[in-house]
């Protein structure tokens, strides 16, 4: 019971973190701020923390299928820190790094989501659409660099808010399924 309570607290923290990051990104997606290594580095870092929490809430070290979430979170945090502290890195390089990283991370997420969709977990279609959209936006970020930053940030902010709502719905549906199974016994 204690473990379940800790996981629920972590899960709630994840949802709140998604909403806060989404709002933060939308606020900072403007011309003056989006061309700043420190802010972009912080955003890359923040986008990677939820993957660490996903790893923890979905089995951690006991679920080998979720190890890539741990690796992507560590790599994203590292890219974010490098971008923050190495301000001499040009923004076009940051755009290419971030775009390539998002393509890799989203490709893994698609591979991870498909088995869940096959099991008729239809809310995962939201995650599938988000991941496909992230790949498209990441390609634009690589191609357009500076022009793609604002679009990337706006998409990024909206995605985090939508993901928070989706994760809340997941939790509600799990709770309702648990309630049904208890009633049957």
């Amino acid at each position: 019971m204690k473990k379940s309570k800790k996981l629920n607290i972590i899960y709630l923290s994840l949802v709140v973190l998604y909403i806060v990051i989404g709002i933060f990104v939308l606020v900072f997606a403007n011309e003056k701020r989006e061309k700043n290594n420190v802010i972009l580095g912080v955003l890359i870092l923040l986008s990677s923390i939820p993957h660490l929490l996903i790893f923890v809430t979905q089995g951690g070290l006991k679920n080998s299928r979720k190890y890539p979430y741990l690796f992507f979170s560590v790599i994203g945090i590292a890219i974010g820190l490098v971008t923050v502290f190495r301000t001499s890195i040009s923004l076009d390089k940051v755009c290419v790094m971030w775009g390539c990283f998002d393509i890799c991370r989203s490709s893994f997420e698609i591979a991870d989501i498909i088995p869940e969709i096959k099991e008729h977990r239809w809310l995962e279609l939201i995650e599938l659409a988000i991941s496909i959209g992230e790949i498209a936006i990441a390609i634009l970020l690589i191609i357009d660099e500076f022009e793609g930053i604002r679009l990337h940030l706006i998409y990024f902010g909206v995605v985090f808010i939508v993901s928070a709502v989706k994760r809340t719905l997941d939790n509600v549906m799990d709770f309702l399924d648990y309630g049904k199974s208890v009633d049957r016994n």
Side-chain angles (χ1 to χ4, degrees):
M1 193 63 145
K2 266 187 177 180
K3 187 174 184 177
S4 177
K5 189 174 183 178
K6 285 181 184 177
L7 282 178
N8 284 337
I9 290 170
I10 291 171
Y11 197 81
L12 178 61
S13 300
L14 178 65
V15 169
V16 170
L17 184 65
Y18 268 97
I19 292 170
V20 169
I21 292 171
I23 292 169
F24 180 80
V25 170
L26 290 173
V27 167
F28 281 92
N30 69 48
E31 194 67 34
K32 292 177 192 168
R33 295 182 179 128
E34 69 193 18
K35 294 183 178 164
N36 179 321
N37 281 36
V38 174
I39 291 174
L40 291 180
V42 167
L43 294 176
I44 295 167
L45 189 143
L46 288 175
S47 74
S48 300
I49 292 172
H51 285 82
L52 184 60
L53 294 176
I54 289 169
F55 171 74
V56 171
T57 61
Q58 294 185 358
L61 297 174
K62 296 177 185 174
N63 187 351
S64 61
R65 229 179 93 210
K66 300 299 178 180
Y67 281 157
Y69 284 103
L70 174 63
F71 299 133
F72 280 119
S73 67
V74 170
I75 292 167
I77 290 168
I79 291 171
L81 290 173
V82 167
T83 303
V84 166
F85 292 109
R86 293 289 308 245
T87 55
S88 61
I89 297 175
S90 65
L91 281 176
D92 58 336
K93 289 180 183 174
V94 172
C95 291
V96 171
M97 264 192 320
W98 194 5
C100 291
F101 177 67
D102 275 354
I103 289 169
C104 293
R105 180 168 56 184
S106 295
S107 297
F108 164 73
E109 289 170 349
I110 290 170
D112 191 45
I113 292 166
I114 289 175
E116 294 184 36
I117 292 172
K118 286 181 179 179
E119 293 177 12
H120 306 290
R121 295 191 62 192
W122 303 119
L123 276 179
E124 296 307 314
L125 288 170
I126 295 169
E127 292 290 336
L128 180 64
I130 287 170
S131 293
I132 291 169
E134 283 179 355
I135 290 172
I137 296 295
I139 290 169
L140 290 174
L141 182 65
I142 293 168
I143 292 170
D144 289 338
E145 296 168 355
F146 298 122
E147 305 306 319
I149 292 174
R150 177 176 289 142
L151 179 61
H152 194 86
L153 292 178
I154 291 170
Y155 185 80
F156 183 51
V158 170
V159 160
F160 267 84
I161 294 169
V162 168
S163 292
V165 171
K166 187 253 176 206
R167 293 192 185 288
T168 301
L169 289 173
D170 274 343
N171 210 17
V172 168
M173 291 181 77
D174 287 346
F175 178 75
L176 293 174
D177 285 344
Y178 176 75
K180 287 179 186 176
S181 67
V182 168
D183 288 344
R184 290 183 188 144
N185 293 328

